[in-house]
Amino acid sequence: MDITGRREAEETIRQNAARTQALDAVSRTLAEAGLDYHTMLNNVARTLSEMIGDLCLINLVSNDSQSIEITSLHHPDPSVVKEAAELRRRLPQGIDEDLSGQVLSSGQPQVTSYHSRETRQSLRPEYLEFMDRHNFHSAMGAPIRAQHQSYGTIVIYRGRAKPEFNLDDARFLEELGNRVGMAITNARLLTETERRLRYVQALRDIDVAITSSLELSITLNIVLEQVMAQLGTDTAAILLLNTHLQTLNYAAGRGFRTNAIQRTRLRLGESYAGRAALERQTITVPDLNIDPLQPQLMENLPGENFAAYFGTPLLAKGQVKGVLEVFHRSPMNPDEEWINYFEMLARQAAIAIDNANLFQEMQRSNTELILAYDATIEGWSHALDLRDRETEGHTQRVTRLTEQLARQMGVGDAQLIHIRRGALLHDIGKMGVPDRILQKEGDLTPEEWEVIRRHPKYAFEMLLPINYLRPALDIPYCHHERWDGQGYPRQLKAEQIPLAARIFSVVDVWDALTVDRHYRTAWPEEKVIQHLRDNSGTQFDPHVVDEFIKMIQDPASE
C-alpha cells in the first residue's frame, strides 16, 4: 500500500504540534521576562534551541546601526556556543553572505540548505568548515520587528538528525520574531518611562533643595549627585563666574581622583568651559582623543584620564552664572534626550545659584539697613545728650549697663536689640519739652513738672508710627512707672510694667545718682546701692534690684 500521504499528514501534524508547543513556551517566556529583555532573549534562544533546532542565535542591531551584535546564543554543547560566538563576533550589518544579514537586508524570513552548491560557494570558508564539523545542514532566519522597526534577527541551525527547515517553518519563526519584537518594544518603553520618572524625581529633589536651603554648597552638591546618577558620568563639576574678573572658578565637584580641578580658573573663551560660557551653548566632545584641546585639558587635569567632555552654561534671567561640566573616562555619544536633560539640570543649578546670590545680597542689604538704623538712633540719642548738657554721656552709659543686666537675667539676643534701641531712645520724648523748662537752672514749678512728665507720651506718639521701633517702645514709654503703681504716665503696677522698663529704671537711677549734676555732687556707690535697696518693692522690682547689685559687686560680670 502507498502510505506516503498518510506519513506526510502525520509529519504535518507533528510539526504543527511542535510549533504550537514552541509558541506557547516562547509566549510564557516573554510574559515572565519583565523589563530585562536580555534575559528574555536568552530564555527564548534556549527554548528554540531545545524545541525547534540545535543552535539558536538572536542578533540585535547596535545602537549606532552600524553592526549586528550577538545578544543571545544557545546550544546544548557549551564548546559550540563559544566557537560560534567567536566566529560571529560583531558581524558588520548588511553582509548578505550570512543568513542573518540576508534576513535583515530583505526584511523577509529565509531558509537555506548547506547541501546546495550555490550556498556552499557563497559561504566564507570558516563558516562552511564550522557547519560541516557540527553537521548543520539546514538553517532558517526571521526578522525581529515591531511597529515598523527592525531590532535584529533570529537564526536557527539544525543538525542532520532532524529534517530540513521549510518555508512554513520560516513563516512560523517570523511570527515568533514579531512577538519578540513587541516584547522588546514594551520592555524598552517601560525602561524609558522609568528613566524619565527618575529624571523628574531628580528635578524635584533639586527643587526641594533650592527651596529648603539657601546654603549654596549644599544645593550644588545635590545637583552634582543627581547629574552623575541620572546621566551616568564619572565626574561632574560646577564653575562659577566671577563677574568682576570675568573668570570661571571652581565651586563644587564630585568623582575626581585628584584635587587639580579645584585650581580651575578660566577666562571666558578659554578651554571648553570658557567657550560654553562665552558662546552660551553646550559644548560636546564625545571623544577627547581626537580633539585638539585634549592635550591642554590633560595638562590641567593630570591623572584623570578623561576621554569625553560635556559642558553647558548656567543661565538665569539671561545672565551667565557659571558652567556645569561633566567628564567621562571612556568615549560616550549620548542621544538628544541625554543632552536635553543635561541642559535642564544646568538650568536648575542656575536657579539655585541665582536664589543664593539674591539671598546673600538681601542679607547684606538688611545688615547695612540695620546698621544705618542703629547709627541714626545713636545720632538722635547723642543730639538729646547735647541738648541736655547735664546728662551728656548718660545715654551711652545706661544703654551699656541695661544690655549687661538684661543678658545676666536671661534675656535672649533677639530681644536685646530692642532693649538697646529703647535705652538709646529713652528720653526721645524730651524733644517735645521746651528748652526753658528742660534747661531751667532753678526748681521747676508744678506746671513745669507736669510738662516734663508728658515726655513718655511724646515718645510713644513719636515712635509708634515707626514699625521697626515699636518693639523698642517699652523703655521710652514705661521707664518712669513704679513697682507700687505710683509712677507715670499710666500708673502700671508690678509685673504690668514691661521687664525692659523695670530693668532700665534701676540702671537709670544708678547712673543719675553716681554722676555729678549742677545741683548736687555724685553719691558714693554704697549710698546708691542702699538707696536701691530701700526703694526695692516700692519704686523698683525687687528681683531686678538684686540682680543689678550682684552685677555691680561682681567684677567678673563686667
Side-chain angles (χ1 to χ4, degrees):
M1 294 176 61
D2 186 356
I3 60 173
T4 302
R6 187 176 68 185
R7 287 184 175 178
E8 290 176 350
E10 290 174 350
E11 179 61 23
T12 299
I13 293 172
R14 187 194 64 77
Q15 289 180 1
N16 288 337
R19 291 168 187 159
T20 300
Q21 291 175 356
L23 186 61
D24 180 62
V26 169
S27 298
R28 286 198 306 271
T29 296
L30 297 179
E32 297 168 358
L35 293 180
D36 187 358
Y37 68 85
H38 289 288
T39 299
M40 172 192 74
L41 295 180
N42 288 332
N43 292 337
V44 169
R46 184 183 67 252
T47 300
L48 295 179
S49 172
E50 294 172 351
M51 302 185 71
I52 300 296
D54 295 303
L55 175 65
C56 180
L57 293 89
I58 298 180
N59 311 286
L60 295 184
V61 178
S62 62
N63 291 333
D64 58 8
S65 300
Q66 298 301 311
S67 61
I68 303 172
E69 300 176 355
I70 297 178
T71 302
S72 302
L73 181 60
H74 190 272
H75 187 276
D77 186 347
S79 64
V80 176
V81 172
K82 181 177 179 181
E83 187 177 350
E86 291 297 327
L87 188 63
R88 298 285 305 278
R89 185 68 59 192
R90 295 186 62 86
L91 180 69
Q93 180 178 330
I95 296 181
D96 291 340
E97 68 179 76
D98 174 71
L99 183 57
S100 182
Q102 295 172 15
V103 169
L104 200 60
S105 61
S106 67
Q108 300 296 323
Q110 302 282 335
V111 176
T112 187
S113 172
Y114 296 112
H115 297 301
S116 166
R117 176 180 298 179
E118 180 180 355
T119 300
R120 297 181 69 84
Q121 289 178 346
S122 65
L123 284 176
R124 290 182 178 182
E126 58 268 35
Y127 285 144
L128 186 59
E129 192 272 335
F130 173 78
M131 300 299 174
D132 289 343
R133 188 169 64 256
H134 296 292
N135 293 317
F136 294 130
H137 68 100
S138 178
M140 66 173 176
I144 299 174
R145 59 190 171 201
Q147 299 177 347
H148 308 292
Q149 180 178 357
S150 293
Y151 290 115
T153 61
I154 302 176
V155 178
I156 303 176
Y157 298 88
R158 267 186 180 174
R160 299 184 185 279
K162 297 177 181 178
E164 293 188 4
F165 290 120
N166 55 44
L167 289 178
D168 288 338
D169 294 323
R171 283 191 286 270
F172 163 74
L173 188 61
E174 182 180 25
E175 173 61 24
L176 283 180
N178 291 337
R179 295 196 179 195
V180 171
M182 285 301 301
I184 293 175
T185 297
N186 292 338
R188 288 185 174 180
L189 286 174
L190 196 50
T191 301
E192 182 71 17
T193 301
E194 287 194 340
R195 185 173 78 249
R196 291 179 178 176
L197 286 175
R198 290 196 303 270
Y199 282 2
V200 172
Q201 181 61 44
L203 292 174
R204 181 184 178 279
D205 291 343
I206 294 173
D207 282 338
V208 170
I210 292 173
T211 55
S212 63
S213 173
L214 289 169
E215 181 64 39
L216 184 58
S217 60
I218 295 176
T219 303
L220 293 185
N221 277 297
I222 291 175
V223 170
L224 294 179
E225 179 182 348
Q226 294 297 340
V227 167
M228 293 178 61
Q230 305 304 326
L231 299 181
T233 61
D234 291 325
T235 66
I238 289 178
L239 310 179
L240 295 183
L241 178 65
N242 184 318
T243 55
H244 301 291
L245 300 177
Q246 292 295 291
T247 58
L248 292 167
N249 303 322
Y250 171 87
R254 293 176 70 94
F256 293 90
R257 295 171 178 170
T258 69
N259 295 328
I261 187 70
Q262 298 178 15
R263 298 191 293 271
T264 299
R265 184 188 178 97
L266 301 172
R267 295 185 300 273
L268 293 183
E270 182 182 4
S271 190
Y272 301 117
R275 283 176 50 200
L278 182 62
E279 299 172 9
R280 297 189 171 208
Q281 64 181 12
T282 301
I283 302 298
T284 64
V285 188
D287 190 349
L288 286 169
N289 295 320
I290 59 176
D291 191 271
L293 283 180
Q294 190 266 358
Q296 179 184 352
L297 182 68
M298 294 302 102
E299 181 180 348
N300 294 334
L301 300 174
E304 295 288 359
N305 300 321
F306 293 132
Y309 173 89
F310 302 88
T312 190
L314 302 173
L315 297 172
K317 300 175 183 176
Q319 296 181 334
V320 175
K321 302 296 180 180
V323 172
L324 170 63
E325 55 182 5
V326 299
F327 300 86
H328 204 58
R329 293 189 173 93
S330 61
M332 59 185 301
N333 191 20
D335 56 20
E336 184 178 356
E337 183 178 6
W338 190 98
I339 296 295
N340 290 339
Y341 189 67
F342 177 49
E343 294 173 344
M344 190 180 301
L345 290 173
R347 288 193 291 271
Q348 293 294 99
I351 293 172
I353 294 167
D354 189 54
N355 285 351
N357 289 340
L358 287 175
F359 180 71
Q360 291 174 358
E361 185 64 30
M362 182 180 67
Q363 282 187 315
R364 183 165 54 251
S365 298
N366 285 343
T367 300
E368 292 173 353
L369 188 60
I370 290 172
L371 291 175
Y373 286 161
D374 289 346
T376 301
I377 293 171
E378 290 180 10
W380 289 350
S381 68
H382 184 60
L384 289 170
D385 280 355
L386 291 176
R387 184 178 180 222
D388 188 357
R389 292 184 296 273
E390 290 296 331
T391 61
E392 186 171 354
H394 166 73
T395 299
Q396 297 298 326
R397 293 191 301 272
V398 296
T399 297
R400 178 181 60 82
L401 284 175
T402 300
E403 283 186 285
Q404 185 179 346
L405 179 57
R407 186 175 288 107
Q408 178 172 306
M409 293 182 66
V411 175
D413 291 342
Q415 187 61 26
L416 276 176
I417 184 62
H418 302 305
I419 289 179
R420 180 177 185 277
R421 290 170 180 169
L424 286 170
L425 297 173
H426 73 280
D427 274 342
I428 190 71
K430 288 183 178 180
M431 293 180 67
V433 178
D435 286 345
R436 62 180 177 79
I437 297 176
L438 189 65
Q439 299 178 4
K440 185 177 180 180
E441 295 288 343
D443 293 338
L444 300 178
T445 66
E447 292 78 11
E448 289 170 339
W449 271 116
E450 183 63 28
V451 173
I452 285 287
R453 288 189 176 94
R454 292 175 191 161
H455 79 270
K457 288 186 177 180
Y458 294 156
F460 179 81
E461 293 167 356
M462 293 171 62
L463 299 180
L464 184 64
I466 305 174
N467 287 335
Y468 90 98
L469 288 179
R470 285 180 184 173
L473 268 172
D474 288 345
I475 291 176
Y477 192 29
C478 304
H479 70 285
H480 284 295
E481 301 286 356
R482 291 170 54 98
W483 185 257
D484 59 7
Q486 300 302 309
Y488 63 88
R490 293 185 292 164
Q491 291 79 50
L492 299 179
K493 185 177 182 180
E495 293 185 356
Q496 292 177 340
I497 306 169
L499 176 61
R502 283 182 269 147
I503 291 173
F504 180 83
S505 65
V506 173
V507 174
D508 190 36
V509 170
W510 167 268
D511 187 81
L513 295 178
T514 55
V515 175
D516 289 333
R517 296 291 173 91
H518 74 278
Y519 52 85
R520 60 156 174 79
T521 58
W523 289 11
E525 288 190 1
E526 294 78 6
K527 182 179 178 180
V528 179
I529 290 174
Q530 187 59 47
H531 175 77
L532 294 177
R533 285 176 173 156
D534 291 345
N535 288 275
S536 175
T538 55
Q539 182 177 353
F540 308 118
D541 180 344
H543 178 61
V544 174
V545 171
D546 292 341
E547 290 294 327
F548 179 75
I549 294 174
K550 186 189 305 181
M551 182 183 76
I552 291 298
Q553 294 179 338
D554 182 7
S557 65
E558 292 292 336

